[in-house]
PDB file of all heavy atoms in Angstrom:
ATOM      1  N   ALA A   1       0.834  -1.197   0.000  1.00 43.00           N
ATOM      2  CA  ALA A   1       0.000   0.000   0.000  1.00 43.00           C
ATOM      3  C   ALA A   1       0.870   1.249   0.000  1.00 43.00           C
ATOM      4  O   ALA A   1       0.587   2.221  -0.702  1.00 43.00           O
ATOM      5  CB  ALA A   1      -0.919  -0.009   1.222  1.00 43.00           C
ATOM      6  N   ASP A   2       1.966   1.236   0.797  1.00 50.00           N
ATOM      7  CA  ASP A   2       2.875   2.386   0.836  1.00 50.00           C
ATOM      8  C   ASP A   2       3.523   2.598  -0.526  1.00 50.00           C
ATOM      9  O   ASP A   2       3.669   3.726  -0.988  1.00 50.00           O
ATOM     10  CB  ASP A   2       3.964   2.149   1.888  1.00 50.00           C
ATOM     11  CG  ASP A   2       3.420   2.219   3.305  1.00 50.00           C
ATOM     12  OD1 ASP A   2       2.303   2.736   3.470  1.00 50.00           O
ATOM     13  OD2 ASP A   2       4.109   1.752   4.225  1.00 50.00           O
ATOM     14  N   HIS A   3       3.931   1.496  -1.162  1.00 51.00           N
ATOM     15  CA  HIS A   3       4.556   1.602  -2.487  1.00 51.00           C
ATOM     16  C   HIS A   3       3.598   2.236  -3.482  1.00 51.00           C
ATOM     17  O   HIS A   3       3.965   3.116  -4.250  1.00 51.00           O
ATOM     18  CB  HIS A   3       4.969   0.217  -2.972  1.00 51.00           C
ATOM     19  CG  HIS A   3       5.186   0.158  -4.449  1.00 51.00           C
ATOM     20  ND1 HIS A   3       6.317   0.653  -5.060  1.00 51.00           N
ATOM     21  CD2 HIS A   3       4.392  -0.308  -5.449  1.00 51.00           C
ATOM     22  CE1 HIS A   3       6.200   0.489  -6.365  1.00 51.00           C
ATOM     23  NE2 HIS A   3       5.063  -0.085  -6.632  1.00 51.00           N
ATOM     24  N   THR A   4       2.335   1.802  -3.464  1.00 49.00           N
ATOM     25  CA  THR A   4       1.340   2.329  -4.401  1.00 49.00           C
ATOM     26  C   THR A   4       1.127   3.816  -4.180  1.00 49.00           C
ATOM     27  O   THR A   4       1.043   4.595  -5.126  1.00 49.00           O
ATOM     28  CB  THR A   4       0.011   1.572  -4.233  1.00 49.00           C
ATOM     29  OG1 THR A   4       0.232   0.183  -4.506  1.00 49.00           O
ATOM     30  CG2 THR A   4      -1.034   2.104  -5.203  1.00 49.00           C
ATOM     31  N   GLU A   5       1.066   4.212  -2.892  1.00 51.00           N
ATOM     32  CA  GLU A   5       0.863   5.626  -2.590  1.00 51.00           C
ATOM     33  C   GLU A   5       2.045   6.459  -3.066  1.00 51.00           C
ATOM     34  O   GLU A   5       1.871   7.524  -3.666  1.00 51.00           O
ATOM     35  CB  GLU A   5       0.678   5.798  -1.074  1.00 51.00           C
ATOM     36  CG  GLU A   5       0.393   7.230  -0.654  1.00 51.00           C
ATOM     37  CD  GLU A   5       0.111   7.361   0.824  1.00 51.00           C
ATOM     38  OE1 GLU A   5       0.073   6.325   1.516  1.00 51.00           O
ATOM     39  OE2 GLU A   5      -0.052   8.502   1.289  1.00 51.00           O
ATOM     40  N   ASP A   6       3.272   5.979  -2.836  1.00 79.00           N
ATOM     41  CA  ASP A   6       4.453   6.703  -3.278  1.00 79.00           C
ATOM     42  C   ASP A   6       4.482   6.832  -4.801  1.00 79.00           C
ATOM     43  O   ASP A   6       4.806   7.881  -5.346  1.00 79.00           O
ATOM     44  CB  ASP A   6       5.719   5.982  -2.806  1.00 79.00           C
ATOM     45  CG  ASP A   6       5.894   6.073  -1.301  1.00 79.00           C
ATOM     46  OD1 ASP A   6       5.227   6.916  -0.682  1.00 79.00           O
ATOM     47  OD2 ASP A   6       6.685   5.280  -0.751  1.00 79.00           O
ATOM     48  N   LYS A   7       4.181   5.736  -5.492  1.00 84.00           N
ATOM     49  CA  LYS A   7       4.184   5.743  -6.956  1.00 84.00           C
ATOM     50  C   LYS A   7       3.166   6.746  -7.487  1.00 84.00           C
ATOM     51  O   LYS A   7       3.449   7.484  -8.433  1.00 84.00           O
ATOM     52  CB  LYS A   7       3.864   4.340  -7.489  1.00 84.00           C
ATOM     53  CG  LYS A   7       3.877   4.256  -9.015  1.00 84.00           C
ATOM     54  CD  LYS A   7       3.442   2.895  -9.496  1.00 84.00           C
ATOM     55  CE  LYS A   7       1.952   2.730  -9.416  1.00 84.00           C
ATOM     56  NZ  LYS A   7       1.197   3.613 -10.328  1.00 84.00           N
ATOM     57  N   ASN A   8       2.001   6.782  -6.875  1.00 88.00           N
ATOM     58  CA  ASN A   8       0.967   7.707  -7.322  1.00 88.00           C
ATOM     59  C   ASN A   8       1.416   9.157  -7.164  1.00 88.00           C
ATOM     60  O   ASN A   8       1.158  10.001  -8.032  1.00 88.00           O
ATOM     61  CB  ASN A   8      -0.325   7.476  -6.549  1.00 88.00           C
ATOM     62  CG  ASN A   8      -1.056   6.221  -6.988  1.00 88.00           C
ATOM     63  OD1 ASN A   8      -0.724   5.629  -8.012  1.00 88.00           O
ATOM     64  ND2 ASN A   8      -2.032   5.808  -6.210  1.00 88.00           N
ATOM     65  N   ASP A   9       2.087   9.457  -6.055  1.00 89.00           N
ATOM     66  CA  ASP A   9       2.566  10.829  -5.827  1.00 89.00           C
ATOM     67  C   ASP A   9       3.545  11.246  -6.917  1.00 89.00           C
ATOM     68  O   ASP A   9       3.484  12.368  -7.429  1.00 89.00           O
ATOM     69  CB  ASP A   9       3.243  10.933  -4.450  1.00 89.00           C
ATOM     70  CG  ASP A   9       2.251  10.844  -3.299  1.00 89.00           C
ATOM     71  OD1 ASP A   9       1.046  11.020  -3.556  1.00 89.00           O
ATOM     72  OD2 ASP A   9       2.683  10.590  -2.162  1.00 89.00           O
ATOM     73  N   VAL A  10       4.454  10.347  -7.270  1.00 89.00           N
ATOM     74  CA  VAL A  10       5.440  10.656  -8.310  1.00 89.00           C
ATOM     75  C   VAL A  10       4.750  10.825  -9.654  1.00 89.00           C
ATOM     76  O   VAL A  10       5.052  11.745 -10.421  1.00 89.00           O
ATOM     77  CB  VAL A  10       6.514   9.549  -8.389  1.00 89.00           C
ATOM     78  CG1 VAL A  10       7.457   9.801  -9.565  1.00 89.00           C
ATOM     79  CG2 VAL A  10       7.311   9.488  -7.093  1.00 89.00           C
ATOM     80  N   GLN A  11       3.798   9.935  -9.944  1.00 91.00           N
ATOM     81  CA  GLN A  11       3.126  10.023 -11.239  1.00 91.00           C
ATOM     82  C   GLN A  11       2.301  11.297 -11.342  1.00 91.00           C
ATOM     83  O   GLN A  11       2.222  11.908 -12.424  1.00 91.00           O
ATOM     84  CB  GLN A  11       2.242   8.800 -11.485  1.00 91.00           C
ATOM     85  CG  GLN A  11       1.629   8.797 -12.891  1.00 91.00           C
ATOM     86  CD  GLN A  11       0.983   7.483 -13.261  1.00 91.00           C
ATOM     87  OE1 GLN A  11       1.327   6.436 -12.710  1.00 91.00           O
ATOM     88  NE2 GLN A  11       0.041   7.524 -14.187  1.00 91.00           N
ATOM     89  N   LEU A  12       1.686  11.714 -10.244  1.00 94.00           N
ATOM     90  CA  LEU A  12       0.929  12.969 -10.278  1.00 94.00           C
ATOM     91  C   LEU A  12       1.841  14.150 -10.597  1.00 94.00           C
ATOM     92  O   LEU A  12       1.475  15.044 -11.362  1.00 94.00           O
ATOM     93  CB  LEU A  12       0.220  13.186  -8.937  1.00 94.00           C
ATOM     94  CG  LEU A  12      -0.999  12.304  -8.667  1.00 94.00           C
ATOM     95  CD1 LEU A  12      -1.452  12.463  -7.220  1.00 94.00           C
ATOM     96  CD2 LEU A  12      -2.141  12.648  -9.623  1.00 94.00           C
ATOM     97  N   ARG A  13       3.026  14.144 -10.018  1.00 91.00           N
ATOM     98  CA  ARG A  13       3.984  15.224 -10.298  1.00 91.00           C
ATOM     99  C   ARG A  13       4.438  15.160 -11.752  1.00 91.00           C
ATOM    100  O   ARG A  13       4.574  16.195 -12.419  1.00 91.00           O
ATOM    101  CB  ARG A  13       5.180  15.106  -9.351  1.00 91.00           C
ATOM    102  CG  ARG A  13       6.181  16.259  -9.490  1.00 91.00           C
ATOM    103  CD  ARG A  13       7.210  16.200  -8.368  1.00 91.00           C
ATOM    104  NE  ARG A  13       7.961  14.952  -8.399  1.00 91.00           N
ATOM    105  CZ  ARG A  13       8.412  14.318  -7.297  1.00 91.00           C
ATOM    106  NH1 ARG A  13       8.178  14.823  -6.104  1.00 91.00           N
ATOM    107  NH2 ARG A  13       9.105  13.198  -7.417  1.00 91.00           N
ATOM    108  N   LEU A  14       4.671  13.957 -12.242  1.00 93.00           N
ATOM    109  CA  LEU A  14       5.069  13.791 -13.645  1.00 93.00           C
ATOM    110  C   LEU A  14       3.971  14.303 -14.572  1.00 93.00           C
ATOM    111  O   LEU A  14       4.252  15.000 -15.549  1.00 93.00           O
ATOM    112  CB  LEU A  14       5.368  12.319 -13.908  1.00 93.00           C
ATOM    113  CG  LEU A  14       5.713  11.895 -15.343  1.00 93.00           C
ATOM    114  CD1 LEU A  14       6.761  10.780 -15.326  1.00 93.00           C
ATOM    115  CD2 LEU A  14       4.463  11.392 -16.070  1.00 93.00           C
ATOM    116  N   GLU A  15       2.732  13.973 -14.287  1.00 95.00           N
ATOM    117  CA  GLU A  15       1.625  14.408 -15.140  1.00 95.00           C
ATOM    118  C   GLU A  15       1.485  15.922 -15.127  1.00 95.00           C
ATOM    119  O   GLU A  15       1.182  16.542 -16.153  1.00 95.00           O
ATOM    120  CB  GLU A  15       0.332  13.723 -14.702  1.00 95.00           C
ATOM    121  CG  GLU A  15       0.324  12.227 -14.990  1.00 95.00           C
ATOM    122  CD  GLU A  15      -0.981  11.545 -14.606  1.00 95.00           C
ATOM    123  OE1 GLU A  15      -1.877  12.237 -14.072  1.00 95.00           O
ATOM    124  OE2 GLU A  15      -1.111  10.332 -14.837  1.00 95.00           O
ATOM    125  N   ALA A  16       1.726  16.530 -13.962  1.00 96.00           N
ATOM    126  CA  ALA A  16       1.655  17.990 -13.877  1.00 96.00           C
ATOM    127  C   ALA A  16       2.756  18.630 -14.722  1.00 96.00           C
ATOM    128  O   ALA A  16       2.542  19.673 -15.365  1.00 96.00           O
ATOM    129  CB  ALA A  16       1.789  18.429 -12.417  1.00 96.00           C
ATOM    130  N   ALA A  17       3.920  17.997 -14.745  1.00 95.00           N
ATOM    131  CA  ALA A  17       5.023  18.518 -15.570  1.00 95.00           C
ATOM    132  C   ALA A  17       4.685  18.416 -17.053  1.00 95.00           C
ATOM    133  O   ALA A  17       4.957  19.342 -17.825  1.00 95.00           O
ATOM    134  CB  ALA A  17       6.307  17.737 -15.260  1.00 95.00           C
ATOM    135  N   VAL A  18       4.083  17.307 -17.455  1.00 96.00           N
ATOM    136  CA  VAL A  18       3.686  17.143 -18.854  1.00 96.00           C
ATOM    137  C   VAL A  18       2.632  18.188 -19.224  1.00 96.00           C
ATOM    138  O   VAL A  18       2.660  18.772 -20.317  1.00 96.00           O
ATOM    139  CB  VAL A  18       3.157  15.725 -19.116  1.00 96.00           C
ATOM    140  CG1 VAL A  18       2.598  15.603 -20.534  1.00 96.00           C
ATOM    141  CG2 VAL A  18       4.266  14.691 -18.902  1.00 96.00           C
ATOM    142  N   ASP A  19       1.714  18.443 -18.297  1.00 97.00           N
ATOM    143  CA  ASP A  19       0.699  19.475 -18.529  1.00 97.00           C
ATOM    144  C   ASP A  19       1.365  20.825 -18.804  1.00 97.00           C
ATOM    145  O   ASP A  19       0.987  21.555 -19.730  1.00 97.00           O
ATOM    146  CB  ASP A  19      -0.197  19.617 -17.292  1.00 97.00           C
ATOM    147  CG  ASP A  19      -1.322  18.593 -17.271  1.00 97.00           C
ATOM    148  OD1 ASP A  19      -1.691  18.096 -18.349  1.00 97.00           O
ATOM    149  OD2 ASP A  19      -1.818  18.291 -16.175  1.00 97.00           O
ATOM    150  N   GLN A  20       2.337  21.164 -17.967  1.00 96.00           N
ATOM    151  CA  GLN A  20       2.994  22.468 -18.117  1.00 96.00           C
ATOM    152  C   GLN A  20       3.752  22.553 -19.431  1.00 96.00           C
ATOM    153  O   GLN A  20       3.672  23.566 -20.144  1.00 96.00           O
ATOM    154  CB  GLN A  20       3.948  22.730 -16.951  1.00 96.00           C
ATOM    155  CG  GLN A  20       4.557  24.129 -16.995  1.00 96.00           C
ATOM    156  CD  GLN A  20       5.444  24.423 -15.801  1.00 96.00           C
ATOM    157  OE1 GLN A  20       6.550  24.929 -15.955  1.00 96.00           O
ATOM    158  NE2 GLN A  20       4.959  24.121 -14.598  1.00 96.00           N
ATOM    159  N   ILE A  21       4.483  21.506 -19.765  1.00 96.00           N
ATOM    160  CA  ILE A  21       5.230  21.508 -21.029  1.00 96.00           C
ATOM    161  C   ILE A  21       4.281  21.613 -22.209  1.00 96.00           C
ATOM    162  O   ILE A  21       4.541  22.333 -23.181  1.00 96.00           O
ATOM    163  CB  ILE A  21       6.092  20.231 -21.134  1.00 96.00           C
ATOM    164  CG1 ILE A  21       7.249  20.299 -20.127  1.00 96.00           C
ATOM    165  CG2 ILE A  21       6.626  20.050 -22.560  1.00 96.00           C
ATOM    166  CD1 ILE A  21       8.037  19.013 -20.009  1.00 96.00           C
ATOM    167  N   SER A  22       3.154  20.906 -22.132  1.00 96.00           N
ATOM    168  CA  SER A  22       2.180  20.942 -23.222  1.00 96.00           C
ATOM    169  C   SER A  22       1.643  22.364 -23.442  1.00 96.00           C
ATOM    170  O   SER A  22       1.648  22.889 -24.569  1.00 96.00           O
ATOM    171  CB  SER A  22       1.024  19.992 -22.924  1.00 96.00           C
ATOM    172  OG  SER A  22       0.012  20.107 -23.901  1.00 96.00           O
ATOM    173  N   ALA A  23       1.201  22.987 -22.354  1.00 97.00           N
ATOM    174  CA  ALA A  23       0.589  24.306 -22.472  1.00 97.00           C
ATOM    175  C   ALA A  23       1.593  25.381 -22.883  1.00 97.00           C
ATOM    176  O   ALA A  23       1.322  26.213 -23.765  1.00 97.00           O
ATOM    177  CB  ALA A  23      -0.066  24.682 -21.148  1.00 97.00           C
ATOM    178  N   ARG A  24       2.757  25.358 -22.266  1.00 96.00           N
ATOM    179  CA  ARG A  24       3.729  26.423 -22.537  1.00 96.00           C
ATOM    180  C   ARG A  24       4.486  26.182 -23.841  1.00 96.00           C
ATOM    181  O   ARG A  24       4.895  27.144 -24.504  1.00 96.00           O
ATOM    182  CB  ARG A  24       4.675  26.563 -21.348  1.00 96.00           C
ATOM    183  CG  ARG A  24       3.904  26.953 -20.086  1.00 96.00           C
ATOM    184  CD  ARG A  24       4.774  27.187 -18.881  1.00 96.00           C
ATOM    185  NE  ARG A  24       3.934  27.348 -17.685  1.00 96.00           N
ATOM    186  CZ  ARG A  24       4.400  27.633 -16.470  1.00 96.00           C
ATOM    187  NH1 ARG A  24       5.713  27.801 -16.292  1.00 96.00           N
ATOM    188  NH2 ARG A  24       3.572  27.744 -15.447  1.00 96.00           N
ATOM    189  N   GLY A  25       4.616  24.908 -24.215  1.00 96.00           N
ATOM    190  CA  GLY A  25       5.209  24.624 -25.520  1.00 96.00           C
ATOM    191  C   GLY A  25       4.278  25.057 -26.635  1.00 96.00           C
ATOM    192  O   GLY A  25       4.720  25.621 -27.649  1.00 96.00           O
ATOM    193  N   ALA A  26       2.981  24.817 -26.441  1.00 96.00           N
ATOM    194  CA  ALA A  26       2.004  25.246 -27.445  1.00 96.00           C
ATOM    195  C   ALA A  26       2.000  26.774 -27.561  1.00 96.00           C
ATOM    196  O   ALA A  26       1.866  27.329 -28.652  1.00 96.00           O
ATOM    197  CB  ALA A  26       0.611  24.741 -27.067  1.00 96.00           C
ATOM    198  N   LEU A  27       2.169  27.445 -26.417  1.00 97.00           N
ATOM    199  CA  LEU A  27       2.227  28.911 -26.429  1.00 97.00           C
ATOM    200  C   LEU A  27       3.476  29.393 -27.169  1.00 97.00           C
ATOM    201  O   LEU A  27       3.412  30.347 -27.965  1.00 97.00           O
ATOM    202  CB  LEU A  27       2.238  29.445 -24.999  1.00 97.00           C
ATOM    203  CG  LEU A  27       2.402  30.959 -24.832  1.00 97.00           C
ATOM    204  CD1 LEU A  27       1.252  31.700 -25.530  1.00 97.00           C
ATOM    205  CD2 LEU A  27       2.451  31.318 -23.352  1.00 97.00           C
ATOM    206  N   ALA A  28       4.590  28.718 -26.951  1.00 95.00           N
ATOM    207  CA  ALA A  28       5.847  29.117 -27.604  1.00 95.00           C
ATOM    208  C   ALA A  28       5.752  28.997 -29.120  1.00 95.00           C
ATOM    209  O   ALA A  28       6.377  29.769 -29.855  1.00 95.00           O
ATOM    210  CB  ALA A  28       6.998  28.262 -27.085  1.00 95.00           C
ATOM    211  N   PHE A  29       4.938  28.023 -29.577  1.00 96.00           N
ATOM    212  CA  PHE A  29       4.840  27.790 -31.024  1.00 96.00           C
ATOM    213  C   PHE A  29       3.424  28.068 -31.543  1.00 96.00           C
ATOM    214  O   PHE A  29       2.946  27.405 -32.449  1.00 96.00           O
ATOM    215  CB  PHE A  29       5.248  26.351 -31.350  1.00 96.00           C
ATOM    216  CG  PHE A  29       6.716  26.101 -31.131  1.00 96.00           C
ATOM    217  CD1 PHE A  29       7.156  25.437 -30.005  1.00 96.00           C
ATOM    218  CD2 PHE A  29       7.659  26.581 -32.039  1.00 96.00           C
ATOM    219  CE1 PHE A  29       8.512  25.230 -29.786  1.00 96.00           C
ATOM    220  CE2 PHE A  29       9.017  26.375 -31.829  1.00 96.00           C
ATOM    221  CZ  PHE A  29       9.449  25.702 -30.694  1.00 96.00           C
ATOM    222  N   VAL A  30       2.789  29.069 -30.951  1.00 96.00           N
ATOM    223  CA  VAL A  30       1.423  29.392 -31.362  1.00 96.00           C
ATOM    224  C   VAL A  30       1.344  29.763 -32.841  1.00 96.00           C
ATOM    225  O   VAL A  30       0.295  29.591 -33.482  1.00 96.00           O
ATOM    226  CB  VAL A  30       0.856  30.541 -30.486  1.00 96.00           C
ATOM    227  CG1 VAL A  30       1.578  31.849 -30.778  1.00 96.00           C
ATOM    228  CG2 VAL A  30      -0.652  30.672 -30.653  1.00 96.00           C
ATOM    229  N   GLY A  31       2.450  30.228 -33.394  1.00 95.00           N
ATOM    230  CA  GLY A  31       2.461  30.592 -34.818  1.00 95.00           C
ATOM    231  C   GLY A  31       2.882  29.463 -35.724  1.00 95.00           C
ATOM    232  O   GLY A  31       2.936  29.642 -36.951  1.00 95.00           O
ATOM    233  N   ASP A  32       3.170  28.288 -35.164  1.00 95.00           N
ATOM    234  CA  ASP A  32       3.598  27.126 -35.955  1.00 95.00           C
ATOM    235  C   ASP A  32       2.617  25.993 -35.688  1.00 95.00           C
ATOM    236  O   ASP A  32       2.740  25.263 -34.688  1.00 95.00           O
ATOM    237  CB  ASP A  32       5.018  26.714 -35.539  1.00 95.00           C
ATOM    238  CG  ASP A  32       5.589  25.597 -36.402  1.00 95.00           C
ATOM    239  OD1 ASP A  32       4.801  24.743 -36.852  1.00 95.00           O
ATOM    240  OD2 ASP A  32       6.819  25.549 -36.573  1.00 95.00           O
ATOM    241  N   PRO A  33       1.615  25.813 -36.554  1.00 95.00           N
ATOM    242  CA  PRO A  33       0.562  24.822 -36.307  1.00 95.00           C
ATOM    243  C   PRO A  33       1.073  23.400 -36.067  1.00 95.00           C
ATOM    244  O   PRO A  33       0.498  22.667 -35.238  1.00 95.00           O
ATOM    245  CB  PRO A  33      -0.291  24.902 -37.579  1.00 95.00           C
ATOM    246  CG  PRO A  33      -0.034  26.269 -38.121  1.00 95.00           C
ATOM    247  CD  PRO A  33       1.404  26.551 -37.805  1.00 95.00           C
ATOM    248  N   VAL A  34       2.121  23.009 -36.739  1.00 95.00           N
ATOM    249  CA  VAL A  34       2.631  21.638 -36.600  1.00 95.00           C
ATOM    250  C   VAL A  34       3.229  21.421 -35.216  1.00 95.00           C
ATOM    251  O   VAL A  34       2.881  20.467 -34.508  1.00 95.00           O
ATOM    252  CB  VAL A  34       3.665  21.320 -37.694  1.00 95.00           C
ATOM    253  CG1 VAL A  34       4.291  19.942 -37.440  1.00 95.00           C
ATOM    254  CG2 VAL A  34       3.004  21.348 -39.070  1.00 95.00           C
ATOM    255  N   LEU A  35       4.132  22.303 -34.816  1.00 95.00           N
ATOM    256  CA  LEU A  35       4.765  22.154 -33.508  1.00 95.00           C
ATOM    257  C   LEU A  35       3.772  22.411 -32.374  1.00 95.00           C
ATOM    258  O   LEU A  35       3.796  21.730 -31.339  1.00 95.00           O
ATOM    259  CB  LEU A  35       5.965  23.091 -33.379  1.00 95.00           C
ATOM    260  CG  LEU A  35       7.217  22.669 -34.160  1.00 95.00           C
ATOM    261  CD1 LEU A  35       8.331  23.703 -33.990  1.00 95.00           C
ATOM    262  CD2 LEU A  35       7.699  21.304 -33.681  1.00 95.00           C
ATOM    263  N   LYS A  36       2.897  23.379 -32.552  1.00 96.00           N
ATOM    264  CA  LYS A  36       1.876  23.662 -31.540  1.00 96.00           C
ATOM    265  C   LYS A  36       1.044  22.404 -31.287  1.00 96.00           C
ATOM    266  O   LYS A  36       0.776  22.028 -30.133  1.00 96.00           O
ATOM    267  CB  LYS A  36       0.984  24.802 -32.007  1.00 96.00           C
ATOM    268  CG  LYS A  36      -0.161  25.150 -31.055  1.00 96.00           C
ATOM    269  CD  LYS A  36      -0.899  26.381 -31.564  1.00 96.00           C
ATOM    270  CE  LYS A  36      -2.080  26.742 -30.656  1.00 96.00           C
ATOM    271  NZ  LYS A  36      -3.190  25.757 -30.789  1.00 96.00           N
ATOM    272  N   ALA A  37       0.657  21.725 -32.373  1.00 96.00           N
ATOM    273  CA  ALA A  37      -0.159  20.520 -32.240  1.00 96.00           C
ATOM    274  C   ALA A  37       0.622  19.391 -31.550  1.00 96.00           C
ATOM    275  O   ALA A  37       0.047  18.610 -30.786  1.00 96.00           O
ATOM    276  CB  ALA A  37      -0.643  20.062 -33.611  1.00 96.00           C
ATOM    277  N   ARG A  38       1.931  19.301 -31.805  1.00 95.00           N
ATOM    278  CA  ARG A  38       2.734  18.255 -31.161  1.00 95.00           C
ATOM    279  C   ARG A  38       2.714  18.432 -29.641  1.00 95.00           C
ATOM    280  O   ARG A  38       2.575  17.459 -28.891  1.00 95.00           O
ATOM    281  CB  ARG A  38       4.183  18.291 -31.671  1.00 95.00           C
ATOM    282  CG  ARG A  38       4.344  17.856 -33.114  1.00 95.00           C
ATOM    283  CD  ARG A  38       5.787  17.442 -33.402  1.00 95.00           C
ATOM    284  NE  ARG A  38       6.059  17.340 -34.841  1.00 95.00           N
ATOM    285  CZ  ARG A  38       5.603  16.385 -35.637  1.00 95.00           C
ATOM    286  NH1 ARG A  38       4.824  15.444 -35.139  1.00 95.00           N
ATOM    287  NH2 ARG A  38       5.925  16.376 -36.926  1.00 95.00           N
ATOM    288  N   PHE A  39       2.864  19.646 -29.187  1.00 97.00           N
ATOM    289  CA  PHE A  39       2.837  19.909 -27.746  1.00 97.00           C
ATOM    290  C   PHE A  39       1.431  19.688 -27.169  1.00 97.00           C
ATOM    291  O   PHE A  39       1.283  19.154 -26.066  1.00 97.00           O
ATOM    292  CB  PHE A  39       3.339  21.327 -27.448  1.00 97.00           C
ATOM    293  CG  PHE A  39       4.846  21.438 -27.451  1.00 97.00           C
ATOM    294  CD1 PHE A  39       5.526  21.841 -28.594  1.00 97.00           C
ATOM    295  CD2 PHE A  39       5.570  21.123 -26.313  1.00 97.00           C
ATOM    296  CE1 PHE A  39       6.919  21.934 -28.610  1.00 97.00           C
ATOM    297  CE2 PHE A  39       6.973  21.216 -26.317  1.00 97.00           C
ATOM    298  CZ  PHE A  39       7.650  21.604 -27.460  1.00 97.00           C
TER     299      PHE A  39
END
């Protein structure tokens, strides 16, 4: 149970990082439809 809880905490942080990269990467390439879509 402790292992599962620890893993979930790490994965939540990882998902939040992906969210940030997605949003800010899309903003960085708002003028480039291909790269914006990749992010």
Side-chain angles (χ1 to χ4, degrees):
D2 289 344
H3 161 77
T4 300
E5 183 176 357
D6 291 344
K7 181 185 77 66
N8 285 348
D9 289 343
V10 174
Q11 185 168 336
L12 286 171
R13 185 171 60 214
L14 176 144
E15 291 182 358
V18 174
D19 276 336
Q20 185 177 133
I21 290 172
S22 174
R24 298 183 189 183
L27 176 60
F29 291 102
V30 69
D32 185 327
V34 174
L35 285 178
K36 178 175 178 289
R38 291 200 194 288
F39 280 95

